[in-house]
Amino acid sequence: MSELQTQSSFIGVQSMAYHKAVKEALNALYHHPDDAVRVDADRWLQEFQGYLDAWQVADDLLHDPTSNLETLIFCSQTLRSKVQRYFEELPSTAFRPLRDSLNNLLRKFHKGPPKVRTQISIAVAALAVHVPAEDWGDGGIVNWLRDEMTMHPEYIPGFLELLTVLPEEVYNYKIAARPERRRQFEKELTSQMEVALNILTACLNFNELKEQVLEAFASWLRLKHGIPGSVLASHPLVLTALSSLNSEILSEAAVNVISELIHYTVAGSSGGFSVQMPLIQVIVPQVMSLKAQLRDASKDEEDVKAIARLFADMGDSYVELIATGSDESMLIVHALLEVASHPEYDIASMTFNFWHSLQVNLTKRDSYISLGNESSIEAERNRRLQIFRPAYESLVSLVSFRVQYPQDFQDLSYEDLKEFKHTRYAVADVLIDAASVLGGDSTLKILYMKLFEAVGRYQNDGQNEWRLAEAALFCIRAISNYVSIVEAEVMPQVMTLLPKLTQHPQLLQTVCLTIGAYSKWLDSAPNGPSILPSVIEILMSGMGTSEDSAAAAALAFRHICDDCRKKLCGYVEGLFHIYRIAVNGEGGFKVSAEDSLHLVEALSMVITELPIDHAKRPLEELCLPVVSPLQEIVNQGPEVINKKTARELTVHIDRFAYIFRYVCHPEAVADAIQKLWPIFKAIFDLRAWDMRTMESLCRACKYAVRTSGRYMGITIGAMLEEIQGLYKQHHQPCFLYLSSEVIKIFGSDPSCANYLKSLIETLFMQTTHLLTNIQEFTARPDIADDCFLLASRCIRYCPHLFIPSAIFPSLVDCSMIGVTVQHREASNSILTFLSDIFDVANSSKGEQYLPIRNAVIIPRGLTITRILIASLTGALPSSRLEQVTYTLLALTRAYGAQAVEWANQSVSLIPSTAVTENERSRFLTALSDAASGVNINALTVPIEELSDVCRRNRTVQEIVQGALRPLELNITAPSVS
């Protein structure tokens, strides 16, 4: 019989049938040929792990000598999971039998299998998290472990694994321990640090255990508490790790220890550099002695990677010391350049974070604040920048080649191509760091020499050498924001070279992107006007070569038109020629519909630069290629328009959205939308059933409203009437977000009050009629999201129309029904709406609405509070905690002691088995502090802890949610007229 059965029957009578069922299910899971059978077996095993009987069955099968490896692994995982999450299921008398049984299992599996031993070790460590040291006996688990290892040295390997995982469990939030107990456990372990290290030191006498000892030491160092650098500097464990760095067997474990020691020396709790300097002075020379191994061809790549990691850790941790530019620190910098030069990108890139941190340290004023006066700060800053110039100049050369396309790039898989692009972005960031230290113009000179050399080779052998030129150009593009717009030495030469680099599609794509990146330079260059025609010719070439180069050219065209718009006002007709070819799909251009939007935006920005009396005609020309196909579709009548795919309409409507967004001539746009309204109305009337078309059309209308504002005149009335009528039939969410834009622009306009009052009452009445229970919110989250975004807009821009209206109480009721909807955006919009109501007094004229608000909220206050507390404690995912917390605190600020009493009544419903009186009290104290005006940021920890306690396992969460129900409110909506 198992230890648990002989010492205690804490589970009760357990059925032998489960033993057989578990073995059969595992056999089916791993060996049955039928997928369906394997799926069923997996499902049953997962369900079984939730049963109370699983404790005894798992324990029995682990002690059973006939259990095979699959059974042992499953049962050890089950027992580990049960201890972590469901220890509270057991009676208080079960602890010692469980501890002793796990201890016997640890002895049984001290030689393996490793997977089983690890799971048992984690289970024991999790048990220690749950149970206070005084209940454990023998002075807590570390002392208990020391005594066990002393009495039973034959089992030391198993006990060493437990000693390794023990400190790791401090930060394991899978363990369903209360926050207060978790803090106590951390204190218990840190107070026992010396005992743990003494155990490990004693184990060094066993050569075969040294690797395990070092791994355990690294684990304890992650607690980052307690031991001064002067003590660690001469500690046998540290000396063993340092002396093992060159050991073939122990090097990996030694590297882990030294890495943790490096992090330990800069941890916030370690006392700072001055306290840890004795340890730093021991570590750094030992790591520096490994530098030669970075270039040792006989070294295994993993060994080199481990050494590189130590240098990277040293650089990241000691960057403040290195930034002083001392002779010693420059030795580390040169070693990191050595790492950065390694041919393997995975190794070289380990240093990238260091170069960024060093750049920030060198360039930011905060690094020099202790020097006091400005002249001292500037002098020291310049001194350091000069010291590090050579390093960053070398870095530019070392990393720039890594962006080069591989020879076989056309055969790369999707994942490999994605990884290559990631590499290019990472290198671009390093080049930006270099440009921040060297200056963009100096960095440009280095990269131009590479481009010049590459172009020479490209012209001699373009077929194979385009990759070098493309790589250099990519780097030049990466630093564009750091090159001065008056740079006159290199950029003119770069622009002269670009027309020679247009034959290869990938190279042409980068040429186009580079042109776009330097659009501000083109605008400022004295010879800019003479360069622009050739630049635009290159972009036209890009539009006609490939889809990728066309996309790059369209983007560059937008940048050029944005930054050089004044210079391009005289070339409008030529620009329109390009635009018409691209939009109409003629002339061999390969610009996609999405990329053509860049051209629409480009022309819109040039038109914006024209005087209003000269802008109307070009705006009509801009609209013409867009309106013609739409007009043709509409003219063919309802039957044709209803058969069109959404894409056939939205490709044109989206262009209107861009025109209305970027042509910043309100009167001209208002005239355009007035002329276009018959077409828009026809599409509204005939396609209101089609969500995609309506979203596109509402987006276009939104930008027309935003740009035209009060110039829209009668068109806005027609638009509101249209969406108000259509929403009753089709309930498209986009009608709500278009209304939000209208409210933002016209909400405070007295002349629009009647229109808007009718609009919001109709829309909200329809919506509350739709969303009458949580199932409806789940089925229509977009409507819920846009409805409550609109409601928040009404509170901000037209509270005089919204808060006194008859629909306001109904919308509050609706929010109470839907606040626990699992859809993130919908839930957040509802919470924001509620907090806006509670915060209404904070607005300039908000106090006048308090009587109305209070008349609505106070009768519902207890229910709202209960729902918010239910949301905190599990009804909503923990990722929404911040938003729920803010809403609850806003309610508490608004209603003070009354809200605290509501909260008290709500949390009092939760049984003491789930939440202790102390945890309840800490939560209510935080709310009381909020009511008295204490800063919200200081109150979040007790609220988060209540959330953590109530979510600690599924059983507790169900108890809490059961106590706080009914969450599923069903409120009768007002009748719809």
Side-chain angles (χ1 to χ4, degrees), residues 394-660:
S394 298
L395 183 66
V396 171
S397 296
L398 288 175
V399 301
S400 56
F401 80 92
R402 296 188 188 276
V403 303
Q404 189 174 311
Y405 271 96
Q407 287 273 16
D408 60 343
F409 81 95
Q410 288 175 316
D411 301 323
L412 291 180
S413 67
Y414 172 80
E415 284 302 318
D416 287 342
L417 194 58
K418 187 176 172 184
E419 190 176 327
F420 172 61
K421 287 181 178 178
H422 176 77
T423 299
R424 281 165 72 100
Y425 296 144
V427 170
D429 287 341
V430 175
L431 292 170
I432 287 169
D433 289 325
S436 299
V437 173
L438 302 173
D441 295 5
S442 297
T443 311
L444 178 65
K445 287 179 184 176
I446 299 171
L447 295 171
Y448 173 71
M449 294 310 297
K450 294 183 177 298
L451 176 64
F452 183 77
E453 180 186 339
V455 169
R457 295 171 69 175
Y458 172 65
Q459 289 175 322
N460 291 331
D461 184 8
Q463 186 63 33
N464 296 313
E465 298 299 339
W466 66 269
R467 295 178 302 117
L468 289 171
E470 192 280 336
L473 208 54
F474 174 89
C475 295
I476 289 172
R477 174 191 158 216
I479 62 162
S480 60
N481 289 338
Y482 295 82
V483 175
S484 64
I485 58 174
V486 295
E487 202 284 331
E489 184 181 345
V490 175
M491 278 311 300
Q493 298 180 67
V494 172
M495 289 295 170
T496 303
L497 288 177
L498 293 185
K500 303 172 184 175
L501 303 175
T502 58
Q503 286 77 36
H504 194 279
Q506 268 70 32
L507 181 52
L508 177 56
Q509 180 184 356
T510 304
V511 167
C512 292
L513 291 171
T514 305
I515 288 169
Y518 283 91
S519 55
K520 286 183 172 60
W521 180 87
L522 281 165
D523 184 49
S524 299
N527 58 342
S530 63
I531 300 175
L532 277 173
S534 65
V535 159
I536 290 174
E537 194 174 321
I538 293 172
L539 298 184
M540 290 178 69
S541 173
M543 290 181 203
T545 300
S546 71
E547 289 182 8
D548 287 340
S549 66
L555 181 62
F557 193 78
R558 191 199 78 189
H559 286 305
I560 295 290
C561 289
D562 185 9
D563 291 318
C564 306
R565 56 177 78 181
K566 282 188 171 68
K567 290 183 172 61
L568 291 171
C569 284
Y571 297 93
V572 170
E573 191 49 50
L575 298 178
F576 268 110
H577 175 67
I578 298 169
Y579 165 74
R580 282 190 290 267
I581 294 174
V583 170
N584 292 334
E586 300 167 357
F589 278 9
K590 298 180 180 179
V591 181
S592 68
E594 286 74 19
D595 293 322
S596 73
L597 295 174
H598 291 314
L599 302 178
V600 177
E601 184 180 341
L603 269 293
S604 299
M605 290 186 290
V606 174
I607 290 171
T608 296
E609 200 58 38
L610 298 171
I612 181 62
D613 52 335
H614 291 132
K616 289 189 176 181
R617 179 65 187 275
L619 177 56
E620 288 176 8
E621 286 191 48
L622 189 61
C623 292
L624 190 60
V626 187
V627 74
S628 296
L630 277 180
Q631 182 72 67
E632 188 179 330
I633 292 170
V634 169
N635 288 345
Q636 292 176 52
E639 192 174 335
V640 172
I641 197 170
N642 274 313
K643 286 182 178 175
K644 294 287 182 184
T645 63
R647 174 73 174 164
E648 290 175 274
L649 295 163
T650 59
V651 69
H652 306 297
I653 298 170
D654 287 346
R655 288 169 182 159
F656 276 126
Y658 270 64
I659 292 170
F660 298 153

Side-chain angles (χ1 to χ4, degrees), residues 738-778:
L738 174 55
S739 301
S740 289
E741 193 65 33
V742 172
I743 291 295
K744 183 179 176 182
I745 304 296
F746 295 98
S748 58
D749 187 340
S751 66
C752 299
N754 290 336
Y755 268 125
L756 297 183
K757 190 171 186 298
S758 171
L759 174 74
I760 61 179
E761 287 184 353
T762 300
L763 296 180
F764 287 140
M765 192 173 291
Q766 288 289 328
T767 305
T768 53
H769 184 72
L770 278 177
L771 303 176
T772 56
N773 54 55
I774 194 68
Q775 289 78 19
E776 287 293 343
F777 275 85
T778 302

Side-chain angles (χ1 to χ4, degrees), residues 33-189:
D34 188 335
D35 286 346
V37 172
R38 290 201 301 273
V39 168
D40 286 343
D42 187 43
R43 187 184 299 116
W44 185 87
L45 287 165
Q46 287 184 45
E47 287 176 4
F48 165 77
Q49 287 181 315
Y51 299 163
L52 194 60
D53 288 300
W55 287 98
Q56 187 70 63
V57 173
D59 184 75
D60 288 344
L61 291 174
L62 283 166
H63 284 88
D64 185 346
T66 66
S67 294
N68 62 16
L69 180 60
E70 291 157 358
T71 303
L72 292 174
I73 290 173
F74 171 76
C75 290
S76 62
Q77 289 172 339
T78 299
L79 209 49
R80 181 263 303 157
S81 175
K82 297 294 275 187
V83 175
Q84 285 180 331
R85 306 297 297 171
Y86 297 103
F87 177 64
E88 289 179 343
E89 288 181 341
L90 304 179
S92 57
T93 55
F95 159 62
R96 285 193 181 276
L98 177 58
R99 183 192 72 176
D100 294 341
S101 180
L102 289 170
N103 185 18
N104 282 342
L105 289 172
L106 204 56
R107 295 178 189 179
K108 176 182 178 181
F109 297 113
H110 76 279
K111 291 185 178 178
K115 285 183 180 178
V116 176
R117 186 179 66 201
T118 299
Q119 295 300 309
I120 301 298
S121 298
I122 296 171
V124 178
L127 188 61
V129 179
H130 285 295
V131 180
E134 56 270 21
D135 292 353
W136 189 276
D138 307 308
I141 188 170
V142 178
N143 284 326
W144 172 84
L145 195 52
R146 179 197 58 200
D147 295 343
E148 288 289 321
M149 293 171 84
T150 302
M151 290 187 292
H152 303 285
E154 69 274 23
Y155 299 127
I156 283 177
F159 290 130
L160 263 181
E161 177 143 18
L162 173 56
L163 197 61
T164 303
V165 301
L166 202 53
E168 294 169 0
E169 297 309 288
V170 169
Y171 308 112
N172 183 358
Y173 286 86
K174 287 181 181 176
I175 300 174
R178 298 171 187 273
E180 185 59 37
R181 173 59 204 145
R182 197 182 297 281
R183 285 191 290 270
Q184 286 174 359
F185 181 66
E186 184 174 3
K187 287 177 184 174
E188 287 166 15
L189 283 200

Side-chain angles (χ1 to χ4, degrees), residues 627 630-631 634 675-684 697:
V627 74
L630 277 180
Q631 182 72 67
V634 169
K675 291 174 183 173
L676 290 165
W677 179 246
I679 296 176
F680 279 24
K681 185 178 186 309
I683 299 171
F684 268 126
L697 193 55

Side-chain angles (χ1 to χ4, degrees), residues 299-319:
K299 294 289 287 185
D300 179 79
E301 187 183 313
E302 288 304 311
D303 291 337
V304 175
K305 191 177 286 188
I307 294 166
R309 176 181 141 212
L310 286 182
F311 282 106
D313 283 344
M314 219 159 53
D316 291 339
S317 299
Y318 304 144
V319 67

Side-chain angles (χ1 to χ4, degrees), residues 782-802:
D782 293 339
I783 286 183
D785 181 21
D786 287 315
C787 167
F788 287 98
L789 285 174
L790 172 60
S792 284
R793 280 271 171 94
C794 289
I795 293 171
R796 292 189 188 94
Y797 294 101
C798 58
H800 60 291
L801 301 178
F802 175 56

